[in-house]
Amino acid sequence: MLLDTYGRVATDLRVSLTDRCNLRCTYCMPEEGLQWLGKSDLLTDEEIVRLIRIAVTQLGITEVRFTGGEPLLRPGLVGIVEQCAALEPRPKMSLTTNGIGLKRTAQALKAAGLDRVNVSLDTLRPEVFKTLTRRDRHKDVIEGMAAAREAGLTPVKVNAVLMPGLNEDEAPDLLAWAVENEYELRFIEQMPLDAQHGWKRDGMITAGDILESLRTRFTLTEEGADERGSAPAERWVVDGGPATVGVIASVTRPFCGACDRTRLTADGQIRTCLFATEESDLRSALRSGAPDEEIARLWKVAMWGKKAGSGLDDPSFLQPDRPMSAIGG
């Protein structure tokens, strides 16, 4: 069991498979990209599967989310999913992706055992997409989402970040489109995880702003804390249902008290929080021949030290050195 000193138990593992990405989203990294991890620094497919096996069979993990960077860039992804699907007990498995490669891989991922996908899409306007991501791939994302839905990787969840002066007016249009296509929409407040460290609280689009915009076109009924559980998104029923919309308000409505996540970076570091400034090294233990029991012990020690909250409201808050692309968001 991955227990911390505040009584929280981590059952949800986020696994970053690579720090690389084929987009250059303005809220994540600079146009020229970043200095990527070297191949020898990355966990191998076998090391990733071993750590997931330890987490599932010894530490109580019941859900695994594959992330990046862009996880579809990982050559061994389908094999990793297939091996994890064979674990006993079998974890629920999902993937967070920018969607560009989904049209090509959705069927294979479903056959391997993946349960569903989250796709990042911030705009319905191709020209705004190009500005936000610095790539002209909007059509590929739309087609990838449709392929995921057709392959049965459902519910397909859509993650959208609203940015001032770019897409802040699109919340109602995004929701109408998601309802029409049977996607589950989640708005995410922009977080201080950009590589440029250019994030500013002033001027960001908040959960309150998003809900105010949505209510100009839709009737929203809050589901409530009992339905939410440990999920990061607060959810509202749209026009009486069955569709829902969620808002992940990490900045203005933090949900740290119910957090049940532990994170593994692509180079084998344990992170207790997206905003943590410390990491715990499992890769060295793996490569020095440590047995499963020792790796499990190190993981427990790391999670025992998890802080009460993200610290975003502390005047001394500092962004982590690692950007979102390297953490496994």
Side-chain angles (χ1 to χ4, degrees):
M1 179 184 295
L2 292 172
L3 178 69
D4 67 35
T5 55
Y6 298 92
R8 296 168 297 192
V9 178
T11 57
D12 185 338
L13 169 61
R14 308 294 171 99
V15 182
S16 176
L17 298 179
T18 178
D19 60 330
R20 295 174 183 263
C21 189
N22 42 12
L23 296 180
R24 296 291 181 271
C25 297
T26 57
Y27 52 76
C28 188
M29 67 175 73
E31 186 171 5
E32 64 273 15
L34 301 169
Q35 181 66 47
W36 309 123
L37 291 166
K39 186 175 181 180
S40 62
D41 295 323
L42 292 169
L43 294 176
T44 66
D45 293 358
E46 292 75 17
E47 288 171 335
I48 289 171
V49 172
R50 183 185 174 195
L51 287 174
I52 294 174
R53 175 176 54 78
I54 291 170
V56 169
T57 61
Q58 297 192 33
L59 297 173
I61 291 297
T62 59
E63 297 188 36
V64 177
R65 171 85 60 85
F66 298 106
T67 72
E70 174 45 52
L72 295 182
L73 295 179
R74 178 90 187 198
L77 171 61
V78 171
I80 291 171
V81 171
E82 190 170 34
Q83 291 182 71
C84 292
L87 293 173
E88 292 291 342
R90 182 195 186 283
K92 295 179 182 177
M93 290 185 294
S94 57
L95 177 132
T96 294
T97 172
N98 62 31
I100 288 175
L102 267 180
K103 185 177 180 180
R104 173 177 51 86
T105 57
Q107 290 287 350
L109 287 168
K110 179 65 177 179
L114 192 71
D115 295 306
R116 64 169 192 82
V117 295
N118 283 33
V119 182
S120 299
L121 180 67
D122 304 319
T123 178
L124 299 176
R125 305 167 185 163
E127 69 279 7
V128 175
F129 182 91
K130 188 174 180 180
T131 299
L132 275 168
T133 67
R134 304 184 178 104
R135 298 291 186 271
D136 190 11
R137 305 298 298 272
H138 188 264
K139 181 173 179 286
D140 297 315
V141 178
I142 298 296
E143 291 179 349
M145 294 173 65
R149 183 185 58 208
E150 291 162 11
L153 292 170
T154 54
V156 174
K157 295 185 179 181
V158 182
N159 296 334
V161 177
L162 299 183
M163 302 286 289
L166 286 172
N167 62 340
E168 62 186 303
D169 62 333
E170 283 199 67
D173 290 340
L174 280 163
L175 181 53
W177 171 81
V179 170
E180 179 182 355
N181 288 278
E182 299 182 338
Y183 300 139
E184 292 190 15
L185 181 61
R186 300 288 186 271
F187 291 100
I188 303 176
E189 289 183 336
Q190 184 194 4
M191 294 180 283
L193 291 169
D194 58 307
Q196 311 93 296
H197 286 201
W199 177 88
K200 291 181 175 61
R201 184 185 294 265
D202 294 342
M204 65 172 283
I205 309 301
T206 68
D209 298 330
I210 294 165
L211 292 168
E212 182 179 357
S213 178
L214 292 175
R215 287 185 171 119
T216 63
R217 196 183 306 180
F218 302 95
T219 299
L220 304 181
T221 306
E222 190 169 4
E223 278 195 335
D226 291 341
E227 291 288 338
R228 181 181 184 183
S230 61
E234 295 179 78
R235 297 203 310 174
W236 285 261
V237 177
V238 179
D239 289 344
T244 62
V245 63
V247 179
I248 299 176
S250 301
V251 178
T252 63
R253 302 184 185 185
F255 40 86
C256 304
C259 181
D260 65 351
R261 285 167 289 289
T262 183
R263 300 174 186 277
L264 177 66
T265 67
D267 56 350
Q269 310 300 307
I270 291 299
R271 294 181 65 91
T272 60
C273 173
L274 272 175
F275 305 106
T277 55
E278 309 87 17
E279 297 177 339
S280 299
D281 183 14
L282 293 188
R283 184 186 64 192
S284 295
L286 279 174
R287 295 182 179 178
S288 66
D292 288 359
E293 292 73 19
E294 174 61 12
I295 291 169
R297 186 191 69 80
L298 292 171
W299 206 328
K300 288 179 180 179
V301 170
M303 293 305 296
W304 182 251
K306 184 173 183 171
K307 295 180 179 179
S310 64
L312 279 169
D313 290 327
D314 190 320
S316 64
F317 172 79
L318 295 174
Q319 286 189 227
D321 290 333
R322 295 253 226 176
M324 189 185 308
S325 60
I327 292 173

